Amino acid sequence: MKIIDYKRLEDCHDGTRKYEVLLDGKTDENFFKKFIHMGEFIKDEKYGKPFYKIDKRGDFAIKGYPGDNIIKIYLNQPDKKIEEYLKLID
Amino acid sequence: MIYFNNAASSYPKPDEVATAVEKAMNLFPVHASRASFSLKIPDIVNQTRKSIAKLFNVENPDNIIFTSGATESLNYVIRGIEVENSHIITTVTEHNSVLRPLYYVEKTEITYLSCDENGYVEPEMFQKNIKEKTKFFIINHSSNVTGIVQNIEKIYEIALENDILLIIDCAQSAGNVEINIEKFRKAIFIFTGHKSLFGISGTGGFYLPEHIELKPLKTGGTGIKSNVLHQPEGRPIFYESGTPNIVGLAALKAGVDFILENGIQKIIKRKKDIYNRILSEIKNNDKIKILNPTENNTGIISITVDDDIDEVCWGIERNYELILRTGLHCCPLIHKDISTFPAGTIRISPGFFNTDKEVETLIEAINGGFL
């Protein structure tokens, strides 16, 4: 999957930096499973439609809905650079 | 995409607004008072002033000062009043466009009044907190978080009785509530163009009562009295330097004229109908809590959920192609009082042009699909 663009969104109240990443294709479960080694893999179906998260608490999270070409990356640590995470996708 | 974020900026605009923008773009850029042809070119700036004056019932349109929006207006007013060693009373319901200019006011005591769970501020709280040195009250007419409309009649009465200036931020209420400035002649009113007045971004202004003068925030060219080095006296030019945003003001005029031609009551009724329909359909959904689900609301439905509101809102937006808004809505202080800190709320703000079908999709997203 290629990254077309990304931008920083409004920071969360706790200082977490939030980025929206636009991809050149739609995500599916396999896309999120690629990052399974990085944190906890969560398939959340409580909203009626599945929602995927790779969550390493206090560090980062990658979130998205399958079938969408946008994912969000949350960085909890001020010294982490978004570029490090973008490299993993591109 | 279906737009339910009209509290941020109204969309779509009436067709007349786009037409006015196009027309203004194609006019010779001749300043109304600077050229021989000025009488042949429409004086858009002052025509807009007259339309605003008519909508707000202002006797003298020259007391309407144009700015780039409510934020600039609030900065203009807050920085323009001499406040050193005085006291200001405001509320936790304010937008950052009030809170941040106040943050930079030096050597002044500021009291932030609390609100109830709907965002309502008891007017008596102003009375109770007055000090000998209280200079002004500043309050938003309608909250952009809960939609509640404050009792500005009572607050104005208290201000008058105590010889205190009242500043009313009408960013959310203008176009959503009938505003009759004749009844509040001694108060300053702030408005923006791009929300419920149907203008475009980069327009707004404030009503400045005859008896109040501010330090000018901006000084510069006015097109007249070019020989003097100081800012020329007289309204509105004392407060309006630089080339005006003619295209933006043409849009604002078209938006305000749309309201005047249709009648504000018709616009209010349509928005109320949409608000009541959504409310009646989602109020029994036990997965959400609705803030200020009352008649005293300019049409904002703010909800909270037990789950991560960012994820929920994102899901609604992506799966139903709805545009909502989530978070603190630039109002950091209100959320502790209404128990929505730190996550904030999911805000649904319908507009006059939302169709019944769009409303149905929203209700389905909340009740049937996502929550």
Side-chain angles (χ1 to χ4, degrees):
Chain A
M1 200 82 80
K2 296 279 175 206
I3 293 166
I4 294 175
D5 200 3
Y6 72 97
K7 67 174 178 183
R8 188 169 173 175
L9 303 175
E10 185 180 3
D11 291 351
C12 299
H13 63 91
D14 63 358
T16 296
R17 285 168 291 143
K18 192 162 67 176
Y19 295 86
E20 191 172 83
V21 182
L22 178 64
L23 305 169
D24 69 345
K26 291 181 177 178
T27 62
D28 56 17
E29 188 168 310
N30 288 333
F31 172 85
F32 293 99
K33 279 187 170 169
K34 276 201 313 187
F35 310 107
I36 213 159
H37 61 285
M38 295 171 66
E40 187 186 0
F41 175 79
I42 302 162
K43 182 179 179 182
D44 203 334
E45 293 186 275
K46 67 186 170 198
Y47 302 136
K49 297 190 178 184
F51 178 69
Y52 292 100
K53 284 190 246 187
I54 305 295
D55 198 354
K56 189 174 177 191
R57 288 189 192 281
D59 193 355
F60 78 94
I62 298 172
K63 302 182 184 182
Y65 287 91
D68 200 353
N69 58 349
I70 283 179
I71 58 166
K72 288 184 185 174
I73 300 177
Y74 298 71
L75 302 182
N76 307 116
Q77 299 298 327
D79 59 329
K80 293 281 177 169
K81 289 194 166 63
I82 183 65
E83 288 77 10
E84 292 170 32
Y85 294 87
L86 296 177
K87 261 191 246 166
L88 300 169
I89 298 164
D90 219 353
Chain B
M1 299 293 280
I2 304 173
Y3 190 76
F4 280 106
N5 193 19
N6 287 272
S9 212
S10 61
Y11 178 87
K13 309 294 183 187
D15 292 343
E16 293 86 336
V17 173
T19 305
V21 167
E22 196 181 348
K23 268 190 183 174
M25 290 283 294
N26 290 306
L27 282 176
F28 286 106
V30 175
H31 189 285
S33 57
R34 292 182 200 181
S36 313
F37 305 104
S38 59
L39 286 173
K40 290 187 178 175
I41 306 290
D43 182 358
I44 289 170
V45 178
N46 285 310
Q47 285 175 2
T48 309
R49 219 183 296 282
K50 284 177 187 164
S51 289
I52 293 275
K54 191 172 177 190
L55 180 67
F56 294 152
N57 195 21
V58 172
E59 194 179 303
N60 180 3
D62 287 343
N63 290 329
I64 305 284
I65 313 298
F66 287 130
T67 66
S68 65
T71 298
E72 188 182 337
S73 299
L74 286 158
N75 273 272
Y76 213 132
V77 169
I78 291 168
R79 293 173 188 218
I81 299 169
E82 192 56 65
V83 289
E84 199 170 306
N85 300 316
S86 69
H87 173 234
I88 295 165
I89 302 179
T90 188
T91 83
V92 296
T93 70
E94 307 311 310
H95 190 274
N96 273 334
S97 57
V98 168
L99 299 175
R100 288 180 177 163
L102 286 177
Y103 179 84
Y104 289 98
V105 169
E106 292 177 339
K107 297 177 188 168
T108 304
E109 188 185 345
I110 302 173
T111 300
Y112 298 89
L113 302 180
S114 299
C115 64
D116 69 13
E117 61 179 10
N118 291 329
Y120 185 69
V121 180
E122 285 295 340
E124 288 70 25
M125 293 291 287
F126 282 88
Q127 181 70 59
K128 282 181 188 161
N129 284 278
I130 291 173
K131 298 182 179 187
E132 205 176 323
K133 59 181 184 175
T134 304
K135 190 90 176 192
F136 64 79
F137 299 159
I138 183 162
I139 184 164
N140 68 6
H141 190 186
S142 174
S143 165
N144 68 314
V145 178
T146 70
I148 197 134
V149 181
Q150 306 294 348
N151 185 350
I152 57 166
E153 291 79 7
K154 183 68 187 163
I155 297 167
Y156 181 60
E157 199 180 297
I158 295 166
L160 278 186
E161 278 169 8
N162 293 279
D163 198 22
I164 291 167
L165 173 64
L166 173 62
I167 303 163
I168 306 166
D169 174 6
C170 298
Q172 282 301 323
S173 60
N176 276 321
V177 173
E178 218 160 330
I179 292 172
N180 183 355
I181 291 182
E182 266 303 292
K183 288 187 180 171
F184 302 87
R185 292 179 78 150
K186 292 188 171 177
I188 295 177
F189 279 77
I190 309 291
F191 63 92
T192 190
H194 69 105
K195 297 184 194 279
S196 295
L197 296 182
F198 296 124
I200 60 176
S201 54
T203 56
F206 58 96
Y207 162 77
L208 189 65
E210 299 275 0
H211 71 290
I212 297 170
E213 293 297 347
L214 305 172
K215 289 181 280 183
L217 185 70
K218 295 187 299 185
T219 54
T222 50
I224 59 167
K225 297 185 182 176
S226 296
N227 58 317
V228 298
L229 286 178
H230 59 81
Q231 191 70 4
E233 284 83 16
R235 293 185 185 187
I237 59 163
F238 187 71
Y239 300 105
E240 290 181 0
S241 296
T243 304
N245 178 4
I246 293 174
V247 174
L249 290 173
L252 179 57
K253 180 183 184 309
V256 171
D257 288 349
F258 177 83
I259 297 172
L260 290 168
E261 280 156 24
N262 282 277
I264 192 163
Q265 285 306 329
K266 179 182 167 186
I267 289 163
I268 292 170
K269 185 181 179 307
R270 173 64 187 155
K271 287 183 187 171
K272 280 274 176 205
D273 287 348
I274 294 173
Y275 168 78
N276 286 329
R277 166 126 197 252
I278 297 169
L279 210 57
S280 69
E281 296 274 0
I282 69 170
K283 70 181 179 191
N284 294 324
N285 184 332
D286 58 10
K287 291 181 184 168
I288 62 174
K289 183 190 171 210
I290 307 168
L291 298 161
N292 186 31
T294 69
E295 275 296 308
N296 183 16
N297 191 318
T298 49
I300 287 173
I301 299 159
S302 248
I303 61 177
T304 59
V305 292
D306 289 336
D307 295 315
D308 182 327
I309 67 161
D310 190 44
E311 289 175 10
V312 172
C313 189
W314 184 17
I316 292 173
E317 287 180 327
R318 301 308 294 183
N319 290 292
Y320 289 86
E321 298 203 316
L322 297 170
I323 298 173
L324 312 175
R325 173 145 182 200
T326 181
L328 302 181
H329 314 298
C330 296
C331 288
L333 299 184
I334 191 174
H335 293 277
K336 282 187 179 158
D337 286 40
I338 63 174
S339 306
T340 53
F341 189 80
T345 72
I346 298 171
R347 187 182 69 187
I348 302 156
S349 51
F352 178 73
F353 291 108
N354 278 120
T355 64
D356 291 345
K357 179 114 184 49
E358 289 173 339
V359 171
E360 279 161 24
T361 302
L362 172 77
I363 292 165
E364 190 200 324
I366 294 173
N367 282 349
F370 236 79
L371 288 164

